[in-house]
Amino acid sequence: MGKVKNESNFDEISFSQSTRVGNIIFISGQVPTSTESKESVNGNEKKVREAFDKMINSFLDAGAEISDIVKINVFLDKKYIDEFRKIYSEIFQSHCPALTIILQPFESIIQVDGVAIKKRNIKDLFYFSNDRTYWVTLLVSTLVGVGIPLLLILLLFYFSLRYE
């Protein structure tokens, strides 16, 4: 398994907003934090949008793009399915990740979490570029792997010419 790296901040109960394992990014459940009442019609759409915005911003903070999202789980108060459909279709117009919706009475009307698989690019080749230990290990292993055999070949060549 790859190196686990927490990408975002921790809240007051010390859970990670996102966790990255290699190029897979897991986002914890995001709920709206606005203070409008649950019964406010405009407030409900804002709350659904806020939960999705928080999830997407967590993905962006972890280095993923919207097109990298492969799975979304939604826990939704069934009274607000229309608000959900509207916001979801605005965000995911051409890219449709796998989706699980659990309809239930829910205190905060919505909670969303998800998984993204970050596409590899040239920057990923230099993932350890700031790690001094990585570069020293690479240099030493290169010298040992290439330098010693090369030295032996040169010595053999030198002695073979000398004793002809």
Side-chain angles (χ1 to χ4, degrees):
M1 186 158 91
K3 180 178 179 183
V4 176
K5 183 177 181 185
N6 293 327
E7 295 289 341
S8 283
N9 58 348
F10 290 83
D11 75 352
E12 62 273 0
I13 60 170
S14 300
F15 83 97
S16 178
Q17 293 292 332
S18 65
T19 300
R20 182 173 173 176
V21 181
N23 64 332
I24 302 173
I25 301 163
F26 300 89
I27 301 298
S28 297
Q30 302 295 313
V31 295
T33 55
S34 60
T35 57
E36 293 187 41
S37 76
K38 188 175 178 180
E39 305 309 317
S40 167
V41 175
N42 290 335
N44 292 329
E45 188 174 316
K46 287 179 186 175
K47 286 181 178 184
V48 171
R49 185 174 305 280
E50 181 185 358
F52 271 101
D53 287 346
K54 287 172 69 175
M55 180 190 67
I56 289 169
N57 287 333
S58 292
F59 277 124
L60 295 173
D61 289 345
E65 298 175 10
I66 290 177
S67 62
D68 295 332
I69 300 172
V70 295
K71 176 72 172 124
I72 295 176
N73 299 312
V74 179
F75 299 88
L76 180 69
D77 189 321
K78 57 188 167 188
K79 293 186 259 179
Y80 306 104
I81 191 74
D82 292 333
E83 290 88 345
F84 164 78
R85 285 183 180 146
K86 178 182 178 194
I87 303 303
Y88 186 84
S89 65
E90 288 174 12
I91 294 171
F92 298 102
Q93 294 175 1
S94 61
H95 170 69
C96 295
L99 175 66
T100 299
I101 302 174
I102 299 172
L103 297 174
Q104 62 185 14
F106 195 63
E107 182 65 30
S108 117
I109 82 165
I110 188 169
Q111 176 180 323
V112 294
D113 63 62
V115 178
I117 299 177
K118 186 174 182 286
K119 294 172 185 68
R120 299 280 182 180
N121 61 35
I122 193 70
K123 287 182 181 178
D124 293 333
L125 297 175
F126 301 104
Y127 183 73
F128 298 106
S129 63
N130 293 331
D131 185 358
R132 183 180 217 155
T133 306
Y134 171 79
W135 289 109
V136 169
T137 305
L138 181 64
L139 178 64
V140 169
S141 63
T142 302
L143 289 175
V144 169
V146 175
I148 291 176
L150 184 60
L151 180 63
L152 290 173
I153 291 169
L154 290 174
L155 286 172
L156 286 172
F157 182 71
Y158 172 76
F159 285 112
S160 69
L161 288 177
R162 192 167 183 198
Y163 293 110
E164 283 186 0

Short mmCIF file of all heavy atoms in Angstrom, two decimals, residues 59-85:
data_model
loop_
_atom_site.label_atom_id
_atom_site.label_comp_id
_atom_site.label_asym_id
_atom_site.label_seq_id
_atom_site.Cartn_x
_atom_site.Cartn_y
_atom_site.Cartn_z
N PHE A 59 -11.25 17.95 -2.52
CA PHE A 59 -10.58 17.25 -3.62
C PHE A 59 -9.53 18.15 -4.27
O PHE A 59 -8.40 17.72 -4.54
CB PHE A 59 -11.58 16.80 -4.68
CG PHE A 59 -12.26 15.50 -4.36
CD1 PHE A 59 -13.64 15.42 -4.32
CD2 PHE A 59 -11.52 14.35 -4.13
CE1 PHE A 59 -14.28 14.23 -4.04
CE2 PHE A 59 -12.15 13.15 -3.84
CZ PHE A 59 -13.54 13.09 -3.80
N LEU A 60 -9.88 19.41 -4.52
CA LEU A 60 -8.94 20.33 -5.15
C LEU A 60 -7.72 20.56 -4.26
O LEU A 60 -6.59 20.60 -4.75
CB LEU A 60 -9.63 21.66 -5.48
CG LEU A 60 -10.74 21.59 -6.53
CD1 LEU A 60 -11.45 22.95 -6.64
CD2 LEU A 60 -10.21 21.13 -7.88
N ASP A 61 -7.95 20.71 -2.95
CA ASP A 61 -6.83 20.88 -2.00
C ASP A 61 -5.90 19.67 -2.02
O ASP A 61 -4.70 19.81 -1.78
CB ASP A 61 -7.35 21.08 -0.57
CG ASP A 61 -8.01 22.43 -0.37
OD1 ASP A 61 -7.83 23.33 -1.22
OD2 ASP A 61 -8.71 22.59 0.65
N ALA A 62 -6.44 18.49 -2.29
CA ALA A 62 -5.65 17.27 -2.30
C ALA A 62 -5.00 17.01 -3.67
O ALA A 62 -4.32 16.01 -3.84
CB ALA A 62 -6.51 16.08 -1.90
N GLY A 63 -5.23 17.92 -4.62
CA GLY A 63 -4.57 17.79 -5.93
C GLY A 63 -5.39 17.13 -7.01
O GLY A 63 -4.89 16.88 -8.10
N ALA A 64 -6.65 16.84 -6.75
CA ALA A 64 -7.51 16.21 -7.76
C ALA A 64 -8.33 17.28 -8.48
O ALA A 64 -8.41 18.43 -8.04
CB ALA A 64 -8.45 15.20 -7.11
N GLU A 65 -8.93 16.89 -9.58
CA GLU A 65 -9.85 17.74 -10.32
C GLU A 65 -11.22 17.09 -10.29
O GLU A 65 -11.35 15.91 -9.94
CB GLU A 65 -9.37 17.88 -11.77
CG GLU A 65 -8.01 18.53 -11.88
CD GLU A 65 -7.49 18.56 -13.30
OE1 GLU A 65 -8.27 18.25 -14.24
OE2 GLU A 65 -6.32 18.88 -13.49
N ILE A 66 -12.25 17.82 -10.68
CA ILE A 66 -13.60 17.27 -10.69
C ILE A 66 -13.66 16.02 -11.57
O ILE A 66 -14.32 15.04 -11.24
CB ILE A 66 -14.63 18.33 -11.13
CG1 ILE A 66 -14.76 19.40 -10.05
CG2 ILE A 66 -15.99 17.70 -11.40
CD1 ILE A 66 -15.69 20.54 -10.38
N SER A 67 -12.94 16.04 -12.69
CA SER A 67 -12.96 14.88 -13.60
C SER A 67 -12.28 13.65 -13.01
O SER A 67 -12.42 12.55 -13.53
CB SER A 67 -12.31 15.26 -14.93
OG SER A 67 -10.95 15.60 -14.73
N ASP A 68 -11.53 13.81 -11.90
CA ASP A 68 -10.87 12.67 -11.25
C ASP A 68 -11.81 11.94 -10.28
O ASP A 68 -11.50 10.84 -9.84
CB ASP A 68 -9.64 13.14 -10.45
CG ASP A 68 -8.56 13.71 -11.34
OD1 ASP A 68 -8.46 13.30 -12.51
OD2 ASP A 68 -7.80 14.58 -10.86
N ILE A 69 -12.95 12.55 -9.93
CA ILE A 69 -13.87 11.95 -8.97
C ILE A 69 -14.53 10.72 -9.58
O ILE A 69 -15.08 10.79 -10.68
CB ILE A 69 -14.93 12.97 -8.51
CG1 ILE A 69 -14.27 14.18 -7.85
CG2 ILE A 69 -15.94 12.32 -7.56
CD1 ILE A 69 -15.21 15.32 -7.55
N VAL A 70 -14.42 9.58 -8.89
CA VAL A 70 -14.97 8.33 -9.42
C VAL A 70 -16.15 7.80 -8.61
O VAL A 70 -16.90 6.97 -9.11
CB VAL A 70 -13.88 7.24 -9.53
CG1 VAL A 70 -12.81 7.63 -10.53
CG2 VAL A 70 -13.27 6.93 -8.17
N LYS A 71 -16.34 8.27 -7.39
CA LYS A 71 -17.40 7.74 -6.53
C LYS A 71 -17.86 8.81 -5.55
O LYS A 71 -17.05 9.49 -4.94
CB LYS A 71 -16.88 6.52 -5.75
CG LYS A 71 -17.84 5.93 -4.74
CD LYS A 71 -18.97 5.19 -5.40
CE LYS A 71 -19.81 4.44 -4.38
NZ LYS A 71 -21.20 4.81 -4.43
N ILE A 72 -19.18 8.94 -5.41
CA ILE A 72 -19.77 9.88 -4.44
C ILE A 72 -20.85 9.14 -3.66
O ILE A 72 -21.66 8.40 -4.24
CB ILE A 72 -20.39 11.11 -5.14
CG1 ILE A 72 -19.30 11.92 -5.81
CG2 ILE A 72 -21.15 11.97 -4.15
CD1 ILE A 72 -19.83 13.10 -6.59
N ASN A 73 -20.84 9.34 -2.34
CA ASN A 73 -21.90 8.83 -1.46
C ASN A 73 -22.65 10.03 -0.92
O ASN A 73 -22.03 10.98 -0.44
CB ASN A 73 -21.30 8.04 -0.31
CG ASN A 73 -20.54 6.83 -0.78
OD1 ASN A 73 -21.02 6.06 -1.60
ND2 ASN A 73 -19.33 6.67 -0.29
N VAL A 74 -23.97 9.97 -0.97
CA VAL A 74 -24.81 11.07 -0.49
C VAL A 74 -25.82 10.53 0.51
O VAL A 74 -26.54 9.57 0.21
CB VAL A 74 -25.56 11.75 -1.66
CG1 VAL A 74 -26.44 12.87 -1.16
CG2 VAL A 74 -24.58 12.25 -2.71
N PHE A 75 -25.84 11.13 1.69
CA PHE A 75 -26.86 10.84 2.69
C PHE A 75 -27.78 12.06 2.68
O PHE A 75 -27.34 13.16 2.99
CB PHE A 75 -26.23 10.63 4.06
CG PHE A 75 -25.27 9.47 4.09
CD1 PHE A 75 -23.95 9.65 3.76
CD2 PHE A 75 -25.73 8.20 4.41
CE1 PHE A 75 -23.06 8.58 3.76
CE2 PHE A 75 -24.85 7.12 4.42
CZ PHE A 75 -23.52 7.32 4.09
N LEU A 76 -29.04 11.85 2.33
CA LEU A 76 -29.92 12.97 2.03
C LEU A 76 -31.28 12.79 2.67
O LEU A 76 -31.86 11.71 2.61
CB LEU A 76 -30.07 13.07 0.49
CG LEU A 76 -30.94 14.16 -0.08
CD1 LEU A 76 -30.29 15.53 0.13
CD2 LEU A 76 -31.16 13.93 -1.57
N ASP A 77 -31.76 13.88 3.28
CA ASP A 77 -33.14 13.89 3.75
C ASP A 77 -34.02 13.84 2.50
O ASP A 77 -33.88 14.65 1.59
CB ASP A 77 -33.41 15.15 4.56
CG ASP A 77 -34.77 15.11 5.25
OD1 ASP A 77 -35.74 14.61 4.65
OD2 ASP A 77 -34.84 15.60 6.39
N LYS A 78 -34.90 12.85 2.42
CA LYS A 78 -35.66 12.60 1.18
C LYS A 78 -36.52 13.77 0.74
O LYS A 78 -36.89 13.86 -0.42
CB LYS A 78 -36.47 11.32 1.31
CG LYS A 78 -37.43 11.30 2.46
CD LYS A 78 -38.04 9.93 2.62
CE LYS A 78 -38.73 9.84 3.96
NZ LYS A 78 -39.16 8.48 4.24
N LYS A 79 -36.82 14.71 1.62
CA LYS A 79 -37.60 15.88 1.24
C LYS A 79 -36.84 16.81 0.32
O LYS A 79 -37.44 17.65 -0.34
CB LYS A 79 -38.02 16.67 2.49
CG LYS A 79 -38.98 15.94 3.39
CD LYS A 79 -39.44 16.85 4.50
CE LYS A 79 -38.67 16.49 5.76
NZ LYS A 79 -39.03 17.34 6.89
N TYR A 80 -35.52 16.64 0.21
CA TYR A 80 -34.69 17.60 -0.52
C TYR A 80 -34.05 17.01 -1.77
O TYR A 80 -33.04 17.49 -2.26
CB TYR A 80 -33.63 18.18 0.42
CG TYR A 80 -34.27 18.75 1.66
CD1 TYR A 80 -34.21 18.06 2.86
CD2 TYR A 80 -35.00 19.93 1.61
CE1 TYR A 80 -34.83 18.55 3.99
CE2 TYR A 80 -35.64 20.43 2.73
CZ TYR A 80 -35.55 19.73 3.92
OH TYR A 80 -36.19 20.22 5.03
N ILE A 81 -34.69 15.99 -2.33
CA ILE A 81 -34.14 15.34 -3.52
C ILE A 81 -34.11 16.28 -4.72
O ILE A 81 -33.20 16.24 -5.55
CB ILE A 81 -34.90 14.02 -3.84
CG1 ILE A 81 -34.17 13.21 -4.91
CG2 ILE A 81 -36.33 14.31 -4.25
CD1 ILE A 81 -32.94 12.53 -4.43
N ASP A 82 -35.10 17.17 -4.83
CA ASP A 82 -35.13 18.09 -5.98
C ASP A 82 -33.96 19.07 -5.93
O ASP A 82 -33.32 19.33 -6.96
CB ASP A 82 -36.46 18.86 -6.04
CG ASP A 82 -37.63 17.95 -6.37
OD1 ASP A 82 -37.41 16.92 -7.04
OD2 ASP A 82 -38.76 18.26 -5.95
N GLU A 83 -33.66 19.60 -4.75
CA GLU A 83 -32.50 20.50 -4.61
C GLU A 83 -31.21 19.75 -4.94
O GLU A 83 -30.33 20.29 -5.62
CB GLU A 83 -32.41 21.07 -3.18
CG GLU A 83 -33.48 22.06 -2.83
CD GLU A 83 -34.75 21.44 -2.26
OE1 GLU A 83 -34.94 20.23 -2.38
OE2 GLU A 83 -35.57 22.18 -1.70
N PHE A 84 -31.12 18.51 -4.48
CA PHE A 84 -29.95 17.70 -4.78
C PHE A 84 -29.78 17.50 -6.28
O PHE A 84 -28.69 17.70 -6.83
CB PHE A 84 -30.03 16.34 -4.08
CG PHE A 84 -29.07 15.34 -4.63
CD1 PHE A 84 -27.72 15.40 -4.28
CD2 PHE A 84 -29.47 14.38 -5.54
CE1 PHE A 84 -26.82 14.50 -4.81
CE2 PHE A 84 -28.58 13.48 -6.07
CZ PHE A 84 -27.24 13.54 -5.70
N ARG A 85 -30.85 17.09 -6.96
CA ARG A 85 -30.77 16.84 -8.41
C ARG A 85 -30.32 18.08 -9.17
O ARG A 85 -29.51 17.99 -10.09
CB ARG A 85 -32.13 16.38 -8.94
CG ARG A 85 -32.46 14.97 -8.59
CD ARG A 85 -33.78 14.56 -9.20
NE ARG A 85 -34.08 13.19 -8.85
CZ ARG A 85 -35.30 12.74 -8.64
NH1 ARG A 85 -36.34 13.55 -8.74
NH2 ARG A 85 -35.49 11.48 -8.33
#
